[in-house]
Amino acid sequence: MKNVVISGMGAMSSLGLNIDDFWKNCLDGNSVCDEIPDSWHQFTDFSSGIWSPLPPIDYQEHGFNRVELAQYDKVTLLAMAATKQALQAANIELAETENNKRQFKLTNLDSNRVGVIIGTGIGGVSTLLENHSHLVLNKLEGILIGRGLANPIANYTKPRRLNPFTVSMTMPNAVAAAVGIKYSINGINNTISQACASGTSAIGAAYKAIQSGEIDIAICGGAEYMRDEYGAVYKSFDIARTLAIPKNDIQTANCPFDKDHSGFLFSEGGAGILVLESQESALARGAHIVAKIIGASESFDAHSMMSLAPEGLQIKRMLNNLLSQTNLTSRDINYVNAHGTGTKLNDSIESTLIKEFFPHAPYVNSTKSILGHTIGASGAFEAIASALSLQHQLLHPNLNLNNPMTDINLVGRKSLAAPLNYALSQSFAFGGHNCGIILEKY
Amino acid sequence: MQNRDELKLKILPIIEEALNLTQPITDTTLSFKEDLKADSIDIVSLAMLLEEELDIDIEDSLLDQLRTIDDVMLFVEEYT
């Protein structure tokens, strides 16, 4: 079995559009939390009303031309931009192909031995909603105008044409497929859709594919984009009562593991991409190794579509599998990057499990306390945060922790230095998916 | 009706961008399929860029008739 290492990472997030900014803002606890767009309020009411928007992104500055902008949903553009960063960080050289299709090939690598495994919860949903609105609203507006009636939808955003690429923009596998096409990668190309566990599951699948020798290198992680002109995706989470509800200051509403927790901070989206490869491949290329991945496991609750099984038996089974894979005991784990959504149910079950399973009180934090919840990308960002924690021996804060609802060893409101050898990053998802990976300091 | 040279200045860069051509177009009789090796996806992309840039609508049923650069020039000439 091959040893697997992380040799490159990329991030497109509300905390920054590169790994350095992402990590600095994690350490500094610089969360981005704002009111949702005013225009959404004309369609419905919201219980939460806050979100974590991405910064303005000029995709052409990230190397895309207008044809690509017309053909790819933003979830795919985010993933492709983060992939480019990760490949550069991994010191993988690119050469443009000669077919005038803006494609590249990975220099000095066998493309059959490279794979792409990327998770996404809802793929190009914003494209589907936008094009659905074209069909419905333009037709309706035509009828109103034709009958000489008042036109209350005149100011609604309505695309002028139905995008002929709607299918290939909406399908969840477009994300991994676009990355594979862009970089002429011919190994396994897989899409994992396990809601909030998609990113962790994708990294786990990539780890196993390299460990078994099926491929040498994997581009893996997660991507999500959840903004639409009508707030439809946001409202779907809001009506399910999963989102943080501010009491006074919106900046403190996102507070996983705090007594005031009320739900998660909805993120506009983002992409976290990692280059995983066999240790021998990384060393042969002279790549800079960030951390090792030494285990990946999954289980399924078979309990409820939207609630964790209260006893967490399948999470414990997943954790036991991880430990037996890695020949570690629970006491070897120094740091748990928690799923840490901030919903009462998650925080209660997860903190109870951590206390029971890790009685030696490893450090615990929630990357979502700063980043918000990027759904299918969240596990990837949390793996990146875990890898950087091991590399720098630093833990980012668990933001807005004023009155802990548990006595697990939560990192407080400030980052801290700590000796770290092994980190667990775990994700739980709507549907009932439980995924975890263990990373080791390199 | 626009002057044909003015039209060329507008349209040729859009075609070069849509088809990712590395050399400027000098011959407007070139066919998309045979000469420029464009596929149907390229033609749809071209139509979307033309619509955006020139504020025009191109019916999907018309795309099959746009076989050469001159066809596109003629269409835009007549449209505008």
Side-chain angles (χ1 to χ4, degrees), chain A residues 48 63-64 74 87-88 101 104 111 138 165 229-230 274 290-291 295 312 318 341 358 360 367 371 378 392 419 439:
Chain A
S48 174
F64 301 105
K74 287 200 174 68
L87 290 170
Q88 285 171 343
K101 298 290 184 190
F104 296 86
S111 66
N138 283 296
F165 300 107
E229 292 296 336
Y230 318 98
L274 301 88
V290 182
M318 179 267 289
T341 56
F358 300 102
H360 62 297
T367 302
L371 177 65
S378 61
H392 298 294
L439 302 91

Side-chain angles (χ1 to χ4, degrees), chain A residues 350-386:
Chain A
E350 187 172 24
S351 60
T352 302
L353 277 169
I354 289 172
K355 193 171 176 180
E356 183 185 333
F357 203 87
F358 300 102
H360 62 297
Y363 293 108
V364 180
N365 63 13
S366 160
T367 302
K368 294 183 184 78
S369 73
I370 308 166
L371 177 65
H373 199 343
T374 54
I375 310 297
S378 61
F381 284 121
E382 289 153 22
I384 288 170
S386 301

Side-chain angles (χ1 to χ4, degrees), chain A residues 261-335:
Chain A
H261 60 171
S262 58
F264 65 77
L265 176 63
F266 180 100
S267 168
E268 182 177 359
I273 297 292
L274 301 88
V275 174
L276 265 53
E277 64 182 302
S278 67
Q279 188 169 340
E280 61 189 275
S281 166
L283 292 174
R285 294 192 311 102
H288 174 68
I289 294 172
V290 182
K292 292 171 77 172
I293 296 183
I294 59 170
S297 186
E298 299 189 12
S299 66
F300 186 69
D301 280 353
H303 167 73
S304 163
M305 197 60 83
M306 294 178 75
S307 296
L308 288 172
E311 284 81 27
L313 294 177
Q314 290 301 323
I315 296 175
K316 282 187 239 177
R317 193 171 68 80
M318 179 267 289
L319 292 172
N320 277 318
N321 286 343
L322 267 177
L323 293 178
S324 65
Q325 275 179 29
T326 53
N327 292 321
L328 297 175
T329 69
S330 64
R331 289 191 167 275
D332 293 316
I333 303 296
N334 312 114
Y335 163 43

Side-chain angles (χ1 to χ4, degrees), chain A residues 136-383:
Chain A
V136 174
L137 296 179
N138 283 296
K139 180 75 175 174
L140 178 60
E141 189 164 49
I143 292 170
L144 292 171
I145 292 170
R147 294 183 182 174
L149 299 170
N151 180 11
I153 62 170
N155 296 325
Y156 288 10
T157 301
K158 305 177 285 289
R160 64 183 289 163
R161 68 132 55 225
L162 189 68
N163 190 320
F165 300 107
T166 298
V167 170
S168 62
M169 293 170 79
T170 303
M171 58 192 200
N173 61 311
V175 182
V179 169
I181 292 168
K182 185 77 173 175
Y183 297 107
S184 313
I185 294 168
N186 303 107
I188 51 175
N189 190 294
N190 207 347
T191 301
I192 298 209
S193 192
Q194 291 186 10
C196 315
S198 303
T200 305
S201 180
I203 294 167
Y207 159 77
K208 287 176 180 172
I210 296 169
Q211 188 193 37
S212 69
E214 185 178 3
I215 52 175
D216 299 321
I217 296 178
I219 293 165
C220 62
E224 207 71 88
Y225 185 74
M226 300 186 285
R227 180 184 192 141
D228 61 85
E229 292 296 336
Y230 318 98
V233 177
Y234 185 93
K235 180 66 180 181
S236 303
F237 283 100
D238 189 69
I239 202 167
R241 300 189 180 279
T242 58
L243 302 186
I245 297 174
K247 282 185 176 168
N248 299 307
D249 180 5
I250 66 168
Q251 301 301 333
T252 59
N254 179 31
C255 51
F257 299 117
D258 187 271
K259 284 179 180 167
D260 281 341
H261 60 171
S262 58
F264 65 77
L265 176 63
F266 180 100
S267 168
E268 182 177 359
I273 297 292
L274 301 88
V275 174
L276 265 53
E277 64 182 302
S278 67
Q279 188 169 340
E280 61 189 275
S281 166
L283 292 174
R285 294 192 311 102
H288 174 68
I289 294 172
V290 182
K292 292 171 77 172
I293 296 183
I294 59 170
S297 186
E298 299 189 12
S299 66
F300 186 69
D301 280 353
H303 167 73
S304 163
M305 197 60 83
M306 294 178 75
S307 296
L308 288 172
E311 284 81 27
L313 294 177
Q314 290 301 323
I315 296 175
K316 282 187 239 177
R317 193 171 68 80
M318 179 267 289
L319 292 172
N320 277 318
N321 286 343
L322 267 177
L323 293 178
S324 65
Q325 275 179 29
T326 53
N327 292 321
L328 297 175
T329 69
S330 64
R331 289 191 167 275
D332 293 316
I333 303 296
N334 312 114
Y335 163 43
V336 176
N337 186 304
H339 186 52
T341 56
T343 63
K344 288 183 187 296
L345 188 67
N346 176 88
D347 290 0
S348 171
I349 293 172
E350 187 172 24
S351 60
T352 302
L353 277 169
I354 289 172
K355 193 171 176 180
E356 183 185 333
F357 203 87
F358 300 102
H360 62 297
Y363 293 108
V364 180
N365 63 13
S366 160
T367 302
K368 294 183 184 78
S369 73
I370 308 166
L371 177 65
H373 199 343
T374 54
I375 310 297
S378 61
F381 284 121
E382 289 153 22

